[in-house]
Amino acid sequence: MSELLLATDIVKTYTSACGMEHTVLKGVDLLVREGEIVAVMGESGSGKSTLLRIVAGLMPPDSGTVRYDGVKHTAPHPAVQMVFQDAGLSFNRYMTIGDSIAEGADHHKTGRTAEGMAQLVGLEGDLLERTPNKLSGGQLRRAALARALAMAPRVLLADELTSGLDLTVQAGLLNLLLRLAKEERLAIVLVSHDENVVRHLADRVIVIEGGKVAAQGTVEDLEAKGLL
Ligand SMILES: Nc1ncnc2c1ncn2[C@@H]1O[C@H](COP(=O)(O)OP(=O)(O)OP(=O)(O)O)[C@@H](O)[C@H]1O
Ligand SMILES: [Mg+2]
């Protein structure tokens, strides 16, 4: 399997308004191959979302590199799409959900439609006419996934995609991710706190702790170490 996304030695420090520095990532590597699902685990505040934003090209690291298909990138790449942890905030509140889903797809001429993507993620078609404030948290999460998939990405970065959703919706989305990975060779990085989700989906797992990758391997490897 070819390497699609490779982040090497990522370091990131935040500086608070009062000048306090907090180094969140202290040299983290992340590799995702075609068709592979990599789960990123770690305590709240360990830097999982920070790592995803950097890998998506939305925020520069202090040092380290991110390569997509062997080429270094420092800005968002259309083939690398992220579903944000706070999906609601990622939508333009004045646009309908349908227009938001279609916007990037039209611009990049991916040939994917808002209706088609809504159907794929199990979002009722009439919701496409609404603005984001008229959708529930779970519906917004599915809309955000639809918007990412409309770009026909080769890498999907999913930050807590299913947490808090009811179990049926969760299962539907997780099975969709599995299918996209296996049938369309989509590479997926999945941030999740849920061990059952990780067990069910992940080909590999990395655990971030203290700004470093504290453990990594297959689900079986981590189970053997008592980490899952
Ligand atoms: N823009 C920012 N400015 C300053 N500090 C930040 C910023 N974003 C995140 N942080 C801090 O960096 C640390 C890591 O945040 P991050 O959101 O990456 O963690 P996380 O692992 O995704 O947590 P969670 O599981 O709660 O989503 C936290 O201490 C957070 O408060
Ligand atoms: Mg997070």
Side-chain angles (χ1 to χ4, degrees), residues 29 33 42 74-75 88 96 99 118 128 138-139 174 178 204 217:
D29 297 340
R33 301 183 184 93
T74 51
T96 65
D99 285 348
L128 295 176
Q139 290 167 338
L174 295 175
L178 263 183
R204 277 188 307 115

Side-chain angles (χ1 to χ4, degrees), residues 57-86:
L58 296 167
M59 184 168 73
D62 298 341
S63 61
T65 54
V66 181
R67 286 173 201 280
Y68 168 73
D69 229 357
V71 180
K72 197 169 150 180
H73 78 108
T74 51
H77 192 295
V80 181
Q81 288 295 314
M82 176 150 171
V83 181
F84 294 89
Q85 189 166 3
D86 203 336

Side-chain angles (χ1 to χ4, degrees), residues 181-216:
K182 301 312 154 203
E183 292 173 10
E184 292 189 15
R185 313 299 296 148
L186 183 66
I188 300 174
V189 181
L190 186 79
V191 169
S192 181
H193 280 109
D194 188 329
E195 294 192 357
N196 290 325
V197 167
V198 171
R199 276 203 187 88
H200 184 57
L201 251 66
D203 297 303
R204 277 188 307 115
V205 185
I206 73 168
V207 182
I208 301 181
E209 201 181 290
K212 301 242 181 200
V213 175
Q216 62 179 313

Side-chain angles (χ1 to χ4, degrees), residues 10-228:
I10 301 296
V11 175
K12 182 73 190 177
T13 300
Y14 288 118
T15 308
S16 69
C18 57
M20 288 271 289
E21 291 199 337
H22 177 198
T23 302
V24 177
L25 300 173
K26 301 177 180 169
V28 171
D29 297 340
L30 177 70
L31 159 70
V32 201
R33 301 183 184 93
E34 228 170 52
E36 190 179 37
I37 302 182
V38 176
V40 178
M41 301 186 80
E43 283 180 8
S44 182
S46 59
K48 305 179 297 295
S49 297
T50 300
L51 178 63
L52 253 58
R53 284 198 291 271
I54 290 171
V55 164
L58 296 167
M59 184 168 73
D62 298 341
S63 61
T65 54
V66 181
R67 286 173 201 280
Y68 168 73
D69 229 357
V71 180
K72 197 169 150 180
H73 78 108
T74 51
H77 192 295
V80 181
Q81 288 295 314
M82 176 150 171
V83 181
F84 294 89
Q85 189 166 3
D86 203 336
L89 294 179
S90 70
F91 283 96
N92 181 333
R93 62 193 169 119
Y94 300 111
M95 271 168 78
T96 65
I97 289 291
D99 285 348
S100 283
I101 294 174
E103 191 180 33
D106 289 347
H107 183 71
H108 290 277
K109 299 189 171 43
T110 64
R112 297 192 176 183
T113 63
E115 291 73 21
M117 293 302 104
Q119 199 174 12
L120 190 65
V121 302
L123 194 68
E124 297 81 355
D126 56 329
L127 299 179
L128 295 176
E129 302 303 323
R130 298 190 189 173
T131 47
N133 60 324
K134 303 273 169 44
L135 265 65
S136 73
Q139 290 167 338
L140 283 168
R141 216 84 68 76
R142 277 177 281 164
L145 178 61
R147 180 179 54 185
L149 294 176
M151 292 290 288
R154 292 183 68 203
V155 182
L156 179 74
L157 309 170
D159 199 349
E160 301 281 4
L161 178 68
T162 60
S163 54
L165 300 186
D166 78 57
L167 286 179
T168 326
V169 175
Q170 224 183 88
L173 286 184
L174 295 175
N175 286 332
L176 172 63
L177 294 188
L178 263 183
R179 194 153 57 80
L180 292 171
K182 301 312 154 203
E183 292 173 10
E184 292 189 15
R185 313 299 296 148
L186 183 66
I188 300 174
V189 181
L190 186 79
V191 169
S192 181
H193 280 109
D194 188 329
E195 294 192 357
N196 290 325
V197 167
V198 171
R199 276 203 187 88
H200 184 57
L201 251 66
D203 297 303
R204 277 188 307 115
V205 185
I206 73 168
V207 182
I208 301 181
E209 201 181 290
K212 301 242 181 200
V213 175
Q216 62 179 313
T218 62
V219 167
E220 293 74 27
D221 292 339
L222 269 80
E223 279 174 342
K225 290 179 188 157
L227 294 168
L228 255 184

